[in-house]
Amino acid sequence: MVNLKRLTIEMKNTLLFMTIIFISGYAFAQEPEKTFTVAVKQNIKRYNALSNRAYEKGDVEHGQFLFDTLVNNQLVGTKFEDYTLKKISGGKLKLSTIKKPILLQTYSSWCVLNKGEIPALNKLARKYYKDLKIVVVFWDRKQAAKSLASQFNSNIEVCYANENYKKDESVVATLKYAIGFLTSYYLDENLKVVSIKKGAPAQTPKKTPIKEAIKVNYDIYNESLSDLLLKSDSRKETLATH
């Protein structure tokens, strides 16, 4: 039997969250440029409370709705931090030096990657190498990340970050623990957030033929990357006319 009182409370909490997001989103539009980290800090506590409740009840659809609301109303348009990441190949990568739209894809070595995902990213990196940069970040120490890095082609920059490294505290706290360890960040050439996708792009069963698995992952990533490039080009055209 449905507990109407509990259901009413849940609806009120969700409505309150959406109202807060809307009001703060309106205020954000009136303020000077806000950073991604500040936006996360201002909204993550309330979001976590509601999303945890949704997932505890098994309501995955509502949990995704809450995440999309957070992203679209608070995080899109913010300025991503200019993180300096450690490269598996040696040296460091400062995001602002890329000067192209970026797909920043985060993983952990202990998490089994979706079947066909790496080959799909490799194909996309070859296709778009002149127009954008794919950066993969493993939330691991170098040795653990290195064991998987060889699966990515040379067009993809593979990096690593871990809470045990003092200089990684900020990127780990914001991206790994606040947003989630498996997330895709789509950034324009000025590090403005265009979109964020959480979780694996597709759930391909182990029995799925490899060609089919690659295609499924490729199509999902390609749609988001095409949208990223389209929005980047539109912004350039707008600036050129002013």
Side-chain angles (χ1 to χ4, degrees):
M1 183 175 179
V2 177
N3 187 323
L4 293 179
K5 184 177 180 180
R6 183 179 179 84
L7 183 60
T8 301
I9 293 173
E10 292 292 335
M11 291 176 67
K12 285 182 177 179
N13 284 334
T14 299
L15 183 59
L16 177 61
F17 173 70
M18 292 178 66
T19 302
I20 292 171
I21 288 291
F22 175 79
I23 293 173
S24 53
Y26 176 79
F28 163 59
Q30 313 303 313
E31 294 175 357
E33 184 175 68
K34 182 184 287 188
T35 67
F36 174 79
T37 299
V38 168
V40 169
K41 287 180 179 178
Q42 290 177 345
N43 295 280
I44 200 68
K45 186 175 181 179
R46 185 67 182 168
Y47 160 74
N48 281 339
L50 290 174
S51 65
N52 288 343
R53 200 171 300 156
Y55 286 117
E56 284 170 4
K57 293 166 59 179
D59 193 346
V60 176
E61 185 176 347
H62 187 59
Q64 185 61 52
F65 166 77
L66 290 169
F67 181 75
D68 291 341
T69 299
L70 171 68
V71 169
N72 294 328
N73 290 282
Q74 281 299 310
L75 304 183
V76 167
T78 58
K79 184 69 178 283
F80 207 70
E81 263 56 41
D82 189 12
Y83 294 117
T84 297
L85 303 168
K86 295 183 290 296
K87 299 191 293 184
I88 288 290
S89 59
K92 296 181 179 180
L93 173 67
K94 192 174 179 65
L95 293 181
S96 61
T97 64
I98 295 175
K99 301 188 184 304
K100 295 179 183 179
I102 300 169
L103 163 57
L104 184 70
Q105 179 65 55
T106 66
Y107 297 112
S108 284
S109 63
W110 54 265
C111 180
V112 178
L113 272 66
N114 202 38
K115 186 174 183 179
E117 187 169 349
I118 294 179
L121 284 174
N122 285 335
K123 287 181 67 176
L124 288 162
R126 285 192 293 269
K127 176 181 178 180
Y128 290 118
Y129 78 95
K130 290 183 179 180
D131 304 310
L132 58 81
K133 187 69 177 176
I134 297 178
V135 178
V136 167
V137 179
F138 281 98
W139 303 120
D140 297 279
R141 291 178 178 272
K142 184 175 183 178
Q143 200 57 39
K146 196 173 182 179
S147 63
L148 290 169
S150 60
Q151 297 181 44
F152 295 91
N153 69 29
S154 59
N155 293 310
I156 297 176
E157 194 68 72
V158 182
C159 303
Y160 62 100
N162 188 270
E163 51 266 42
N164 292 302
Y165 301 124
K166 189 173 182 180
K167 291 185 178 180
D168 290 345
E169 290 176 352
S170 176
V171 65
V172 169
T174 303
L175 303 190
K176 179 182 178 182
Y177 289 120
I179 301 299
F181 69 89
L182 179 57
T183 308
S184 307
Y185 300 88
Y186 296 86
L187 315 173
D188 73 10
E189 65 275 14
N190 296 309
L191 300 185
K192 289 286 188 70
V193 177
V194 173
S195 179
I196 301 174
K197 308 290 185 183
K198 194 173 184 178
Q203 297 297 330
T204 48
K206 288 184 178 180
K207 293 183 179 180
T208 305
I210 186 61
K211 287 186 178 180
E212 182 181 335
I214 293 172
K215 185 179 186 305
V216 169
N217 284 276
Y218 180 94
D219 289 345
I220 293 173
Y221 272 118
N222 189 51
E223 182 178 358
S224 295
L225 290 174
S226 297
D227 184 57
L228 171 63
L229 291 174
L230 181 63
K231 288 179 178 177
S232 179
D233 289 341
S234 296
R235 191 192 64 80
K236 288 178 183 177
E237 289 176 7
T238 300
L239 290 174
T241 58
H242 287 79

